[in-house]
Amino acid sequence: MMDYKMFKGLAEEQFLDYMPEKFKDYTIKINTVSKTNRTLDALYLDAPESGERETLPVIYVDDMYLEYEKSGDFRETMKAAAGAWMGSYQRMSDGIRDFKLSNVKERAIMSLVNTEQNKELLEEIPHREFCDLSVIYRYAVEIRDDGASSFVIDNHVAQSAGMTEQQLYDAAFQNTRLLLPPSVRSMDDIIREMLGQKGTSEELIGAMAGEMQTKVEMYVISNRLGYNGAVSMLYEEELHALAEKISADMYILPSSIHEVIAVPALAVEPAELAAMVSEVNESEVAVEDRLSNQVYHYDRNLRKLGLATDTPSKCLGGVPKEPQAAYGGGKSR
């Protein structure tokens, strides 16, 4: 079995051999790009100079190599990768093909990433820091009831659209609430719904949910699609309503970039929660979905969200040593 370097070289040389005739005159290039929590080798297709300029999908050599490691068959890996590329090409909506800079204000949404883990990515995109996290902006290509697609707004797109980071934040804060409304659900309700979807009887659901309940109330904060939903913790009104409901301050556990979990800040030590978050990140959460190993604290009287812990992050790298206590604070770029 070939190593990654050899695989990458062959992929660059031969990928077009597995593509339809239409793309035979295109050229291949591979660039290292910064993605959430990691860097990847992105394989691009470039149209001939005389050809029509169009937006084309990108496929990652790293993911191709993982599939090759499973099968050991280079040809089958290339066939599958070419098929995946064509599938993405055919599914690309008119929204991305007809992307216009004038639409950025209406289509900008926000998400959260870990600041320390994404230093290189953050150099290339508008963002603002909050605790050990950064708010970044994405262009919502399509948001459906069964999913969503978007891409990160980089400095070039923002500048070409004539938008500052503050303008992006203002637009994205409103758009995200409108397009991906925050949701707060009890873990008990989620368990019951999952069991119900599997056809479990009401009696058995009640018995099983009761057995799985913990001594600590748990609430999942996300959005209606569970897509980049951790950013919903920045909507303070929802946090305050939940804190008032449970009559307590809250600790917020970053489950992933897609959701966070809120628990009452009563008999639980934040350091213990942070250790649990770190362990789950390392064993259960995909690298690209990890948000933080820290735990956050929401003060329902002061109505502020800040860091409750500042511990070393085994999975995600270090974090700033000066946590910002006030909700909404932070530097923008």
Side-chain angles (χ1 to χ4, degrees):
M1 181 175 289
M2 69 184 81
D3 61 17
Y4 178 77
K5 183 178 180 180
M6 181 180 294
F7 178 90
K8 177 181 172 181
L10 283 178
E12 188 170 12
E13 291 176 8
Q14 300 183 21
F15 184 76
L16 286 177
D17 295 342
Y18 299 85
M19 294 291 287
E21 191 65 31
K22 171 184 176 179
F23 301 100
K24 295 299 184 180
D25 292 335
Y26 284 51
T27 57
I28 292 288
K29 64 178 180 179
I30 295 177
N31 290 335
T32 300
V33 297
S34 297
K35 303 293 287 184
T36 304
N37 294 338
R38 55 182 182 160
T39 57
L40 298 174
D41 286 324
L43 186 151
Y44 299 86
L45 268 66
D46 262 357
E49 287 299 322
S50 58
E52 179 183 353
R53 304 305 297 174
E54 59 181 334
T55 302
L56 299 172
V58 174
I59 193 166
Y60 298 101
V61 181
D62 310 70
D63 295 333
M64 294 161 62
Y65 187 69
L66 288 176
E67 293 305 313
Y68 167 71
E69 285 185 312
K70 294 176 184 177
S71 67
D73 191 322
F74 179 79
R75 288 176 56 84
E76 288 303 316
T77 300
M78 289 297 101
K79 286 181 182 179
W85 192 98
M86 283 302 302
S88 296
Y89 178 77
Q90 292 164 359
R91 289 192 302 271
M92 288 182 89
S93 69
D94 291 338
I96 186 73
R97 291 181 185 274
D98 297 334
F99 165 71
K100 296 178 181 177
L101 291 170
S102 58
N103 293 337
V104 171
K105 183 176 181 180
E106 288 71 31
R107 303 301 294 176
I109 57 175
M110 59 184 188
S111 62
L112 285 173
V113 299
N114 184 276
T115 300
E116 183 69 18
Q117 191 72 13
N118 292 279
K119 285 182 176 180
E120 292 184 9
L121 174 64
L122 294 174
E123 289 177 357
E124 304 169 0
I125 63 177
H127 64 280
R128 65 174 52 197
E129 296 175 11
F130 173 72
C131 295
D132 66 320
L133 309 175
S134 286
V135 178
I136 67 172
Y137 309 102
R138 306 183 69 91
Y139 182 95
V141 176
E142 190 175 24
I143 295 179
R144 310 175 305 276
D145 289 340
D146 62 343
S149 59
S150 66
F151 62 84
V152 173
I153 295 173
D154 61 18
N155 291 331
H156 174 72
V157 170
Q159 291 166 6
S160 299
M163 296 187 71
T164 64
E165 188 280 331
Q166 183 63 53
Q167 289 171 325
L168 277 171
Y169 178 80
D170 292 340
F173 192 89
Q174 298 301 322
N175 293 342
T176 307
R177 178 183 280 283
L178 177 65
L179 298 172
L180 296 166
S183 69
V184 179
R185 304 179 62 197
S186 72
M187 189 66 76
D188 181 61
D189 287 344
I190 292 174
I191 292 172
R192 289 175 180 274
E193 181 179 297
M194 291 173 60
L195 293 173
Q197 290 173 347
K198 294 181 179 180
T200 310
S201 68
E202 287 295 328
E203 287 187 3
L204 188 54
I205 287 176
M208 293 176 67
E211 288 182 6
M212 286 186 281
Q213 279 183 333
T214 65
K215 295 180 181 179
V216 179
E217 297 175 89
M218 302 177 71
Y219 294 86
V220 176
I221 300 173
S222 185
N223 56 45
R224 65 183 180 89
L225 294 183
Y227 172 77
N228 282 312
V231 76
S232 294
M233 75 176 183
L234 298 187
Y235 290 101
E236 195 273 337
E237 290 181 10
E238 279 70 19
L239 289 187
H240 186 67
L242 178 58
E244 289 294 292
K245 176 181 177 179
I246 64 177
S247 301
D249 289 358
M250 298 185 299
Y251 289 131
I252 308 295
L253 286 61
S255 177
S256 73
I257 63 172
H258 301 298
E259 65 184 24
V260 298
I261 296 173
V263 299
L266 298 173
V268 187
E269 289 296 325
E272 295 178 13
L273 294 174
M276 180 182 70
V277 170
S278 178
E279 182 178 349
V280 171
N281 269 332
E282 191 168 9
S283 61
E284 303 293 337
V285 184
V287 171
E288 62 269 24
D289 290 338
R290 295 174 188 170
L291 184 58
S292 176
N293 285 339
Q294 306 304 324
V295 171
Y296 307 88
H297 176 261
Y298 177 73
D299 188 309
R300 68 176 177 133
N301 293 320
L302 296 178
R303 300 187 67 154
K304 289 184 179 180
L305 177 66
L307 278 172
T309 59
D310 188 18
T311 59
S313 297
K314 290 187 297 182
C315 306
L316 299 172
V319 294
K321 295 300 180 184
E322 298 297 331
Q324 298 163 26
Y327 166 80
K331 297 175 285 185
S332 64
R333 292 185 172 86

